[in-house]
Amino acid sequence: MLHRRLLRTAAPLIVGALALSACSKSDDDAGSDGGKKVYRIAYQGPLTGESSALGVHMENGVKLAIKQANARGDLPFTLSYAAGDDAGSADQSPAAAQKIIDDDKVIATIGPAFSAPTKAAGELYSQAGLVALTPSASSPALTTLGFTSFLRGIPNDDAQGGGMAAYLARKVKARKVFLVDDKTEYGVGLAGVAEADLKKAGVQVVHESVPQKTPDYTAVATAARNSGADGLIYAGFYADAAPFAKKLKEAGFDKPKIASDGTNDRKFIDLAGDASEGWLLTCPCVDATVEPGIKKFTEDYRAEFKVDPGTYSAEAFDVTNLVIEQLRTLGTDATREALLDKVRHADYKGLTKRFRFDDKGEFPDRTAFLYRVESGRIAYQGNILTLAAS
């Protein structure tokens, strides 16, 4: 049984890797046609591994932006795509980043997608003077580490963590919250924000740290049930949130449960089954399938990839187009350093939001949204602070 299961898992990854290789080659071949200069835009994120669904959603947004920009035919250069798979791992991130950096045609990177890989590779991108514009890495600490080429295209986890705390304190009127992080850079940072804001609101917090790939979540689920908490927060990714959700259901924990954007993916429902029902999910990202201003993007995405956009697909599309528009102003004489300066000072109106950055590379807005698992689908609820106050 295990052998068959491994084969079923490995086959799509092999096919996906071959398809990606073929796609990258065809993009490069097309970029050399007509004698135009070729610039590559890279994406670094998890294209394999347990969190690959989140990574591929973003990769698709990057690739769609590049394809559409080339199709318009008004650029003095041709764009191609380069993939940097870090599997969502801090350990694999430096190698993925170095591969991108060593390609002298790469002019900018979208990513890294996750916080721990960003922390691991940030200095490499800084030394190379190469834009590293993330559509999703949200740890507040990332803009305090002295990275000179890192820019964030979303609100950091002050928005998510603060929103979670506000919702449980004001809407749920919780007096005690059971808070679990997955011991990653992302999970610990987000949980820290939520805990601080809950305590400011007078809410008691029981905080547990449970590492990724824990084989059995029975103990922490039982602790949650026995804690007397009125609500629960999980700061981590869907691959761990799913078995935790199952154990919470088995333990009989029936209070409101909120998980962060790392869990906000269809894979959470697929893995957790009916134990996912009723979970609240946060994200500083829009739902491209319901926002009227993003209808054309959603239609184009479905036509290209035969699936709906996912978490951060539209944001990845937006930040790629931001880079392309700044690159257009530099023309065929662009350098990495010149583009970095242009992007750092950009003020760009995308589909999802207005993009601009402070002197640390931080996105200045602090808006997060709430979603809910209803009847086996993730349903958009609205601005989390507005909902908390209603």
Side-chain angles (χ1 to χ4, degrees):
M1 177 66 74
L2 178 59
H3 179 66
R4 290 199 299 272
R5 206 178 292 141
L6 287 171
L7 286 176
R8 286 198 300 270
T9 302
L13 293 177
I14 293 169
V15 171
L18 290 172
L20 179 60
S21 174
C23 178
S24 297
K25 186 177 187 300
S26 66
D27 284 349
D28 289 348
D29 290 346
S32 63
D33 289 346
K36 283 186 176 181
K37 185 167 186 176
V38 175
Y39 292 119
R40 289 197 185 103
I41 296 177
Y43 164 72
Q44 184 185 330
L47 302 177
T48 57
E50 291 183 335
S51 299
S52 60
L54 290 164
V56 171
H57 286 319
M58 288 179 264
E59 181 193 39
N60 287 347
V62 175
K63 292 168 78 173
L64 183 60
I66 292 171
K67 180 176 182 177
Q68 290 184 349
N70 282 330
R72 285 192 290 270
D74 60 353
L75 294 173
F77 45 77
T78 298
L79 297 168
S80 69
Y81 170 74
D85 180 16
D86 61 22
S89 164
D91 291 339
Q92 296 185 45
S93 178
Q98 195 62 56
K99 181 181 177 182
I100 289 170
I101 291 165
D102 289 345
D103 182 344
D104 61 9
K105 288 188 178 180
V106 172
I107 196 73
T109 299
I110 306 304
F114 289 177
S115 294
T118 300
K119 183 177 181 180
E123 187 56 35
L124 292 175
Y125 282 115
S126 295
Q127 290 172 3
L130 182 62
V131 172
L133 172 51
T134 183
S136 55
S138 53
S139 171
L142 294 175
T143 52
T144 69
L145 300 175
F147 300 147
T148 56
S149 66
F150 173 72
L151 302 167
R152 196 194 317 265
I154 55 163
N156 69 30
D157 280 333
D158 289 347
Q160 276 197 99
M164 289 173 161
Y167 189 86
L168 289 176
R170 300 176 196 169
K171 186 72 172 180
V172 176
K173 301 190 185 308
R175 292 177 295 178
K176 181 188 288 188
V177 169
F178 196 86
L179 173 60
V180 181
D181 70 66
D182 66 353
K183 300 192 79 170
T184 65
E185 180 80 17
Y186 157 72
V188 170
L190 176 58
V193 173
E195 180 171 14
D197 282 13
L198 283 167
K199 288 180 175 179
K200 286 178 186 175
V203 179
Q204 184 180 349
V205 178
V206 179
H207 190 163
E208 297 283 347
S209 293
V210 183
Q212 290 181 302
K213 300 182 181 180
T214 290
D216 188 350
Y217 285 85
T218 299
V220 68
T222 302
R225 181 198 62 198
N226 294 339
S227 69
D230 308 301
L232 177 144
I233 292 173
Y234 181 72
F237 297 96
Y238 62 74
D240 297 288
F244 183 35
K246 288 182 176 181
K247 290 301 181 182
L248 285 169
K249 184 177 175 65
E250 289 178 13
F253 185 87
D254 58 359
K255 303 301 182 182
K257 300 172 285 291
I258 304 181
S260 52
D261 55 341
T263 298
N264 193 340
D265 189 273
R266 173 72 211 184
K267 287 290 288 183
F268 172 58
I269 299 173
D270 294 343
L271 294 170
D274 61 3
S276 65
E277 190 68 17
W279 272 74
L280 297 166
L281 306 171
T282 60
C283 191
C285 60
V286 301
D287 186 340
T289 65
V290 301
E291 288 289 335
I294 313 179
K295 182 178 179 181
K296 179 65 164 56
F297 163 78
T298 301
E299 291 172 351
D300 291 344
Y301 189 101
R302 286 170 176 160
E304 183 72 17
F305 304 109
K306 315 307 178 190
V307 294
D308 282 344
T311 301
Y312 294 122
S313 293
E315 284 76 10
F317 177 83
D318 267 350
V319 296
T320 305
N321 276 314
L322 183 161
V323 168
I324 293 169
E325 286 306 302
Q326 302 311 307
L327 184 57
R328 181 198 298 271
T329 68
L330 295 171
T332 57
D333 295 322
T335 64
R336 290 176 172 180
E337 290 78 7
L339 181 60
L340 172 59
D341 185 66
K342 280 281 188 180
V343 173
R344 183 182 298 282
H345 295 98
D347 191 335
Y348 176 76
K349 181 67 172 68
L351 297 177
T352 61
K353 58 179 75 73
R354 177 186 173 192
F355 291 87
R356 56 203 189 283
F357 312 100
D358 68 15
D359 58 357
K360 293 182 179 179
E362 192 71 79
F363 185 79
D365 190 19
R366 291 292 180 268
T367 302
F369 303 95
L370 189 69
Y371 298 77
R372 181 183 175 88
V373 179
E374 296 177 351
S375 303
R377 57 183 290 270
I378 297 174
Y380 174 73
Q381 305 295 297
N383 183 304
I384 192 169
L385 293 180
T386 302
L387 293 168
S390 64

